Amino acid sequence: MRCVPINGVTFDSASKQAIQRIKDIQGLANALATAVSLGTVVNIFLGNRMVESSFTISTTDWEAFGQAMGSVPTIARREIEKVAGNQVLAHLNDQKQKEFWQAVEYGCQK
């Protein structure tokens, strides 16, 4: 989709709720990333003595950790695309809001 200015768009209550939902999704994604990171650190160090910590560090599944961290933005993006797609359908009779939500759903390229 091409980036075009959408001048004079006025958001109705459904769009405002969707925008808040997207903000919530972004906040939850950040919290999830923090929890995954914290969980790994706790798994490595909580209650371990130094020798045990060395063993735990070497046996931690870093590949799974990396995949989990990498999937957080993907999960958030998919959820945001769902919200935007629903708003496109809800605003078929409002061209400006529909264009805005299509840009959110599909992104745009210059």
Side-chain angles (χ1 to χ4, degrees), residues 11-95:
F11 295 115
D12 62 10
S13 62
S15 283
K16 290 177 184 176
Q17 288 175 350
I19 290 167
Q20 184 57 52
R21 176 71 182 128
I22 289 170
K23 289 179 182 179
D24 293 344
I25 290 168
Q26 291 171 326
L28 290 170
N30 291 338
L32 179 58
T34 300
V36 169
S37 297
L38 184 61
T40 300
V41 170
V42 167
N43 183 43
I44 293 170
F45 294 108
L46 188 65
N48 288 327
R49 292 185 301 268
M50 195 54 132
V51 173
E52 291 170 347
S53 292
S54 298
F55 176 74
T56 304
I57 290 170
S58 66
T59 61
T60 299
D61 190 345
W62 293 108
E63 184 176 339
F65 172 71
Q67 289 173 345
M69 288 298 292
S71 66
V72 171
T74 303
I75 293 167
R77 185 177 61 249
R78 286 184 188 151
E79 289 303 310
I80 291 169
E81 287 171 355
K82 287 179 192 177
V83 170
N86 289 335
Q87 290 303 306
V88 169
L89 295 175
H91 293 95
L92 293 175
N93 295 325
D94 184 331
Q95 188 62 30

